Amino acid sequence: MTPAFFEQPGSRWFNIPAHRPFAEDLAQGLYDALAPMGPEALADAVVLTPTRRGARALADAFIKAAGGRAVLPPQMRPLGDLEAGEPPFEPGDLVLDLPAAIDPLRRRFELVRLVAELSDDVPGGVHSAGAALDLADALGAFLDSLQIEEIDVRGALVDLAPGDLAKHWDISRRFLDRALEAWPRRLDELGVVDVSERRVRLLNRLAERWSDRPPQGVLVAAGSTGTAPATRALMIAIAAAPRGAVVLPGVDVNLAEKAWRKVDVQHPQGALRRLLDTARVTREQVAIWPASTAETAAQRWRRRVVNEALRPAEETADWLHVIDDLRAQDPDAIAEALKGLSLVSARTEEEAATVAALLLREALETPERTAALVTPDQRIARRVAAKLARWGVVPDSSAGESLAGSACGALASLLARAAVDPVDPVALLGLLKHPFTRLGDPTRLERHALRGARARTWDELKGRLLAKDRGGKERAPQALPLAERLQAIVEALTWPRDGYDAPAAVTLRLVTAMEALATGEDGRTGDLWAGHAGEAMSRLLSGLMREGQDLPEVTPRQYADLLQRLMSGETVRSGGATHPRLRILGAIEARLVRADRLVVAGLEEGVWPAAAPTDPFLSRPMRETLGLPSPERRIGLAAHDFAQAVCAPEVVLLHTERRDGQPAVKSRWLWRLETLAKGAGLEIPGRPEALAWAAALDAPGPYTPYPRPSPKPPVEARPTELFATRVETLTRDPYAVWARDILQLRLIERPDEEVEARARGTAIHAAFERFVLDWPAALPPNAAAIFRSLYLHELEKAGMPPDKLATETALAVEAGAWVADMETRRRADGRRLHVEKEGKLTLEIAGRPFTLAAKADRIEVSPDGLGHVLDYKTGRAPSKRMVQTGFSPQLTLTAAILEGGGFKDIGRVTAGDLTYLEITGRRPAGREEVRAAPDGDGDKTLNTREAVDAALQGLDKLITRYADPAQGYTSRTAPQFVKMYVSDYDHLARVFEWSTSGEEDE
């Protein structure tokens, strides 16, 4: 290539084919043409790229083109990411009369204010700041599209006949008409213009200047498809300049003319065809860029096959002829095209991210080899970046992270949530344990006040710290100052009494609270506002305080929603050192950037391509009437980006079978490629080893199900005293006895623990105890109401939430009536009642003493000298069969202790009836389930004498068995209870794993 290349007559439109590395070829071509003229010739050239990242990639490519030597590259500027005061867009007097661009955050808030003013045109009005923000963002996108497409629709909106429109579209038309009148007026008042409008004006003025007075230096527009009219005009002006050139990405010069004429907005070549038609340039006039002429057979056929697969839908009927034509040129054409191309179908998004990370990591094992992930889906991009972090690899990623997911954003979100529910233990724990919080060690406050059933007030929460334990000592008074400081910070967010406040005022309180949490003893706020995320959060909150004065007033919940939406819309670009050979790219960026291995991910319908956006303001006929582009145009642009990426030498196509837990449909482009390959009797090669790597990453070696555990502690460590309930556990699940009674592992309650079932059990026991102690003999006339009141009081005391308590109130009425009737009947013979009594009985078992203990809910001693044992149940009582087989020995063992004189206050008493009292409040409200009686015949009820003797014999055998050091504490010795019996130690025993692996049946 010689300098005269830029001065040749005729068309200077060039094409870098899709299979070629765009940035490298562009740099090589310019270097070969200009470097011989001296370093100034290259440095004086101007190159315009679609994005700022493309410009950086081009700068790296010039180093490679120069053979690693230092080089002065051309002036490189992004068309799609202009900055004020940056040449060549603002040379001299070009912008003297052009207002500055409005700040994007200021624009959002101004549009929210405008939406609020026009809310009478919105059905139902706009009742929250979050809804106003959504509508403002939609309005902003509509205004951007008008400005980019340079369309004035005001007159056309008025001309749309209301009678021809549905009512909601007519309302939308009126809203837009008023907005299009008010918004420019507001911008004039502020002395600014929209960013899109300013960019369009700059490009048009530059196109006019370069058309009237073309630059004499080298001028190149590269990589753009000219989607916007202003961009097309500038590219046409550049191509006409004395030493100008336009370099296009991936023009399909092989597509049949018949198919080319049918290229529409959804086709990969749609934008390029529109650009060439506007410039009145035919495909024959588009030359191959001189540095892009070399190609291998695989590259040539890959490009051909991909372009044929993506041809217009109505032309796909010719695929069989296309296949025959390709094979006529080369029998191995399609097989060559598939070389270097592979397909992986992952089951889930998690597996897809793992596979992508492993494939990228594998490429880095080869020195100098580069790799890149290409996807429009930021979620999978962030997942892959997180996966790569396990190897200490930080990719150069364009995805960044959402401000809402940053540490600073999480702190703000937690405080906003605490303002909604000030004593939410999960939010409070999140605040206390946040890395920016410097209030002190939260361990005691967490353990004694924030776990378990939630406290309803701050006083109740602090009261838990001062409550006395069994030894009479206060639980955690040391944590009281921390609780009070946290209370002061959270209560500073309190809303006015009417529940509404201005977002700007709330934000000021939020910032104060954030800084109070982050301020240490040294008076500094640490890293709260440091780093990219801190700076972005600072800008957002200061903008909300400064520009949010006109936002609608909000409730605490509405403010939390508003803040979350604002943060979710902000992306934080991570700085710092990144791996020089690894990138994560968006679809547009991948046009210019190429790597030795590309992993193309997100190939599902709705992701790549994304669904055509829904216009909340205009129907499709209305958009067509107003001259707005079809929503499907974005699909064509996405298709072009896909075609560019998939033509790289080595490409792994990554598809996910399920997204968000739902089946996913393959991308139409992937489906077309597979269909074309199958038509030739071939398949896109798979990468089964990549899926195997992902499966083995955290489970090296073949899968071996975890066996049912059976620990064997020393005999001297085994318990010599057990309550009857623990004997039941030893019968059903010995592993739980080993964990709790031998290892002394105690369950730590979760924050905001669901307490419904436990609260009922606790409350029913406490209510019966209080009821019997207060009225041991005769019942009061209002016994039902008294029991109901006692039960509800105990439910509230046990921590049952108010919404659940409302349901229990109705049940308590029925339960109280049933209890009053039951108590009247059972007390009719004058029996003595004993409640919540603890008894013990020491037995000689396996040559050493063993103590059996029980806490009896209720023992009734009747005048005939029999002791009747009762147990309260708020759920289903154990069946007679379970009592008889020893799986529920609580009643029978309690009766054995009673007969042995183990209850000191009662003495030695012969056991009578053994009964479960079911109290549910439903229909029937309660049941007396007698499981054993002195005259039991074994048919309906057991014989008490026989049942007690059998229970003692069973206990002897059980304890004797576990006195053997070879006997292990096996998990779930009665596997029939796996589904109906839940233990606090199931996760430690990995019950789900061994019980579903077939071991249970063995």
Side-chain angles (χ1 to χ4, degrees):
M1 187 175 185
T2 66
F5 165 80
F6 289 101
E7 299 171 0
Q8 67 184 25
S11 171
R12 283 196 295 276
W13 291 77
F14 296 93
N15 174 40
I16 295 181
H19 67 271
R20 296 295 303 172
F22 191 97
E24 294 178 13
D25 280 7
L26 179 64
Q28 191 67 56
L30 291 173
Y31 184 82
D32 292 344
L34 301 177
M37 300 177 62
E40 296 83 1
L42 187 61
D44 288 341
V46 175
V47 181
L48 307 182
T49 64
T51 63
R52 189 168 298 278
R53 188 160 188 173
R56 292 201 302 268
L58 185 58
D60 295 337
F62 274 106
I63 298 176
K64 182 177 181 180
R69 299 186 303 273
V71 62
L72 289 174
Q75 302 176 55
M76 291 172 284
R77 297 290 180 262
L79 282 167
D81 190 15
L82 308 184
E83 287 186 356
E86 186 174 80
F89 301 102
E90 296 194 356
D93 59 353
L94 190 65
V95 293
L96 289 180
D97 60 341
L98 191 60
I102 188 172
D103 178 78
L105 187 63
R106 174 70 181 274
R107 183 186 192 236
R108 290 186 84 183
F109 293 143
E110 286 289 344
L111 286 173
V112 170
R113 181 193 58 78
L114 178 61
V115 164
E117 289 179 0
L118 304 179
S119 60
D120 55 323
D121 275 332
V122 179
V126 179
H127 299 294
S128 72
L133 183 65
D134 284 345
L135 195 57
D137 287 343
L139 178 59
F142 173 74
L143 294 170
D144 288 340
S145 67
L146 295 182
Q147 294 157 5
I148 292 171
E149 298 299 329
E150 302 180 50
I151 297 175
D152 184 2
V153 300
R154 285 218 59 207
L157 275 174
V158 175
D159 293 340
L160 286 174
D164 297 337
L165 301 175
K167 183 177 181 180
H168 61 285
W169 291 126
D170 186 47
I171 293 173
S172 175
R173 180 191 64 81
R174 293 201 309 270
F175 175 86
L176 290 179
D177 187 51
R178 294 181 61 191
L180 290 173
E181 179 183 1
W183 181 240
R185 186 169 60 245
R186 179 57 178 164
L187 291 176
D188 288 342
E189 293 173 0
L190 298 173
V192 294
V193 293
D194 278 327
V195 174
S196 297
E197 182 180 354
R198 190 174 193 275
R199 182 179 300 162
V200 167
R201 289 192 194 180
L202 278 172
L203 292 175
N204 283 331
R205 290 187 180 191
L206 196 58
E208 292 173 6
R209 170 166 291 189
W210 284 353
S211 295
D212 296 339
R213 300 192 298 275
Q216 299 305 304
V218 173
L219 188 60
V220 179
S224 175
T225 57
T227 307
T231 306
R232 290 198 293 271
L234 182 62
M235 294 172 72
I236 293 170
I238 290 173
R243 303 181 71 191
V246 174
V247 186
L248 300 176
V251 177
D252 184 4
V253 296
N254 299 112
L255 187 64
E257 186 61 30
K258 177 184 175 184
W260 177 260
R261 288 195 298 269
K262 293 183 179 180
V263 165
D264 60 8
V265 294
Q266 296 191 56
H267 191 272
Q269 299 288 309
L272 290 171
R273 181 194 169 186
R274 187 167 54 253
L275 171 61
L276 294 176
D277 288 348
T278 304
R280 298 181 179 180
V281 174
T282 65
R283 283 186 297 165
E284 291 73 18
Q285 293 175 297
V286 180
I288 297 294
W289 183 249
S292 303
T293 55
E295 66 177 0
T296 64
Q299 290 173 333
R300 175 192 176 197
W301 296 122
R302 172 81 62 76
R303 186 185 73 248
R304 286 289 305 278
V305 166
V306 169
N307 288 341
E308 292 295 347
L310 303 186
R311 61 165 46 204
E314 57 269 27
E315 293 296 314
T316 55
D318 289 340
W319 268 350
L320 292 177
H321 297 94
V322 168
I323 292 171
D324 292 339
D325 181 54
L326 292 173
R327 282 180 167 166
Q329 299 177 55
D330 184 341
D332 297 324
I334 299 179
E336 285 288 333
L338 296 181
K339 286 183 178 179
L341 186 66
S342 56
L343 170 63
V344 177
S345 289
R347 289 171 297 175
T348 63
E349 294 168 276
E350 182 70 12
E351 185 179 51
T354 303
V355 168
L358 285 165
L359 290 170
L360 296 172
R361 181 68 181 83
E362 183 202 22
L364 299 182
E365 289 296 306
T366 304
E368 305 303 321
R369 187 169 170 79
T370 59
L373 172 72
V374 179
T375 180
D377 184 5
Q378 288 196 349
R379 290 195 308 173
I380 194 170
R382 290 166 182 163
R383 279 177 182 260
V384 173
K387 297 283 184 182
L388 289 168
R390 74 185 298 166
W391 300 297
V393 176
V394 180
D396 180 7
S397 175
S398 63
E401 68 169 338
S402 169
L403 180 58
S406 67
C408 195
L411 184 63
S413 181
L414 284 167
L415 275 170
R417 179 177 167 185
V420 177
D421 185 356
V423 288
D424 177 3
V426 176
L428 295 179
L429 269 178
L431 291 173
L432 288 169
K433 294 190 173 185
H434 193 280
F436 289 162
T437 298
R438 303 172 70 188
L439 297 184
D441 184 7
T443 304
R444 287 191 176 89
L445 180 60
E446 173 187 357
R447 179 68 182 275
H448 298 288
L450 296 178
R451 287 188 173 270
R454 68 157 60 197
R456 286 178 293 276
T457 64
W458 280 103
D459 288 340
E460 182 180 339
L461 187 149
K462 291 183 290 185
R464 294 182 181 183
L465 300 175
L466 302 178
K468 292 181 169 49
D469 56 22
R470 292 183 179 180
K473 294 183 179 179
E474 292 181 339
R475 287 181 176 175
Q478 311 95 322
L480 191 59
L482 175 59
E484 290 176 339
R485 187 175 176 188
L486 182 63
Q487 178 186 1
I489 292 172
V490 173
E491 286 187 342
L493 295 169
T494 303
W495 254 247
R497 289 187 177 181
D498 62 358
Y500 285 86
D501 202 356
V506 178
T507 304
L508 177 59
R509 298 200 298 269
L510 179 75
V511 171
T512 303
M514 291 175 68
E515 293 185 342
L517 285 171
T519 301
E521 295 180 356
D522 57 1
R524 299 180 180 178
T525 56
D527 297 330
L528 178 60
W529 307 117
H532 296 278
E535 292 173 4
M537 195 70 201
S538 176
R539 287 195 302 271
L540 176 64
L541 295 178
S542 61
L544 191 52
M545 286 187 288
R546 184 180 62 252
E547 313 293 353
Q549 301 292 339
D550 296 320
L551 289 174
E553 290 192 339
V554 290
T555 64
R557 194 174 300 278
Q558 289 172 348
Y559 180 80
D561 176 59
L562 172 67
L563 182 64
Q564 191 69 27
R565 292 177 192 230
L566 287 171
M567 292 192 298
S568 298
E570 296 287 327
T571 299
V572 180
R573 306 295 179 190
S574 56
T578 58
H579 199 288
R581 295 188 285 126
L582 183 60
R583 291 186 173 98
I584 295 180
L585 304 170
I588 296 177
E589 295 166 320
R591 286 184 199 168
L592 272 66
V593 181
R594 187 58 57 87
D596 296 322
R597 171 179 288 174
L598 286 186
V599 178
V600 180
L603 295 177
E604 296 84 44
E605 284 294 309
V607 180
W608 201 2
T614 301
D615 191 333
F617 295 115
L618 300 173
S619 65
R620 287 177 179 270
M622 292 170 72
R623 289 182 64 89
E624 185 176 355
T625 301
L626 297 177
L628 289 169
S630 166
E632 282 76 19
R633 188 175 72 176
R634 293 187 184 182
I635 295 178
L637 298 175
H640 178 265
D641 295 331
F642 169 79
Q644 288 288 105
V646 82
C647 285
E650 183 184 351
V651 180
V652 181
L653 304 174
L654 185 54
H655 163 64
T656 303
E657 295 175 355
R658 298 184 69 85
R659 292 184 64 90
D660 297 325
Q662 302 296 323
V665 178
K666 282 184 179 179
S667 168
R668 65 191 70 179
W669 306 318
L670 177 57
W671 179 86
R672 280 169 166 244
L673 274 176
E674 287 187 296
T675 303
L676 184 60
K678 288 179 181 177
L682 300 172
E683 289 186 354
I684 301 176
R687 292 291 301 267
E689 75 280 8
L691 291 171
W693 295 342
L697 185 61
D698 294 312
Y703 172 68
T704 302
Y706 187 75
R708 181 169 10 191
S710 185
K712 299 173 182 177
V715 173
E716 56 271 18
R718 303 189 180 198
T720 58
E721 179 176 339
L722 286 175
F723 272 80
T725 52
R726 301 305 297 162
V727 173
E728 179 176 328
T729 303
L730 184 61
T731 304
R732 297 186 181 203
D733 187 11
Y735 183 91
V737 174
W738 171 76
R740 185 179 188 277
D741 299 274
I742 297 177
L743 296 186
Q744 299 295 311
L745 299 178
R746 293 292 191 270
L747 178 69
I748 297 179
E749 295 176 307
R750 296 180 179 86
D752 202 6
E753 183 89 48
E754 293 288 341
V755 297
E756 283 84 348
R758 188 186 63 186
R760 290 191 191 95
T762 301
I764 207 70
H765 282 77
F768 265 115
E769 181 181 11
R770 188 75 267 153
F771 189 76
V772 172
L773 291 178
D774 288 349
W775 289 278
L779 293 177
N782 57 340
I786 291 174
F787 186 86
R788 182 188 70 230
S789 177
L790 289 172
Y791 177 54
L792 292 175
H793 172 73
E794 294 296 338
L795 282 175
E796 186 176 1
K797 185 178 176 182
M800 179 164 281
D803 56 332
K804 302 292 184 182
L805 199 59
T807 303
E808 289 295 329
T809 301
L811 299 178
V813 174
E814 299 295 328
W818 183 85
V819 168
D821 179 68
M822 181 272 298
E823 290 283 4
T824 301
R825 286 186 289 99
R826 296 193 69 89
R827 298 187 188 194
D829 59 1
R831 60 185 60 190
R832 292 182 291 114
L833 308 182
H834 304 271
V835 292
E836 303 298 331
K837 296 294 184 181
E838 186 172 323
K840 292 185 178 182
L841 179 65
T842 301
L843 306 168
E844 186 74 20
I845 301 178
R848 63 175 184 173
F850 176 82
T851 301
L852 174 66
K855 187 172 184 180
D857 290 347
R858 178 165 171 164
I859 296 175
E860 301 176 349
V861 181
S862 60
D864 58 7
L866 294 179
H868 307 285
V869 181
L870 289 82
D871 190 65
Y872 308 132
K873 296 292 182 186
T874 54
R876 190 71 178 269
S879 66
K880 178 176 76 69
R881 177 68 175 165
M882 294 173 71
V883 175
Q884 186 177 21
T885 55
F887 283 120
S888 295
Q890 184 179 359
L891 285 178
T892 51
L893 291 179
T894 302
I897 297 174
L898 178 63
E899 292 191 335
F903 291 96
K904 295 181 180 179
D905 295 343
I906 301 175
R908 191 182 298 269
V909 177
T910 301
D913 295 343
L914 308 183
T915 306
Y916 289 108
L917 294 183
E918 287 185 6
I919 307 98
T920 63
R922 294 172 176 84
R923 294 186 180 180
R927 286 192 182 95
E928 295 177 63
E929 298 285 349
V930 180
R931 293 292 178 253
D935 57 352
D937 55 7
D939 185 14
K940 293 184 178 180
T941 58
L942 302 173
N943 180 276
T944 302
R945 176 79 277 127
E946 294 174 357
V948 171
D949 291 344
L952 287 173
Q953 292 172 12
L955 176 67
D956 186 277
K957 291 180 181 179
L958 184 68
I959 301 304
T960 299
R961 187 189 316 149
Y962 284 95
D964 181 357
Q967 175 63 47
Y969 285 77
T970 307
S971 175
R972 301 298 182 91
T973 53
Q976 63 265 38
F977 294 117
V978 167
K979 301 294 187 295
M980 60 181 294
Y981 174 75
V982 179
S983 167
D984 293 332
Y985 306 95
D986 282 350
H987 59 298
L988 295 181
R990 294 164 73 168
V991 169
F992 178 80
E993 183 173 343
W994 65 255
S995 67
T996 56
S997 65
E999 193 276 339
E1000 174 188 345
D1001 296 334
E1002 298 172 10

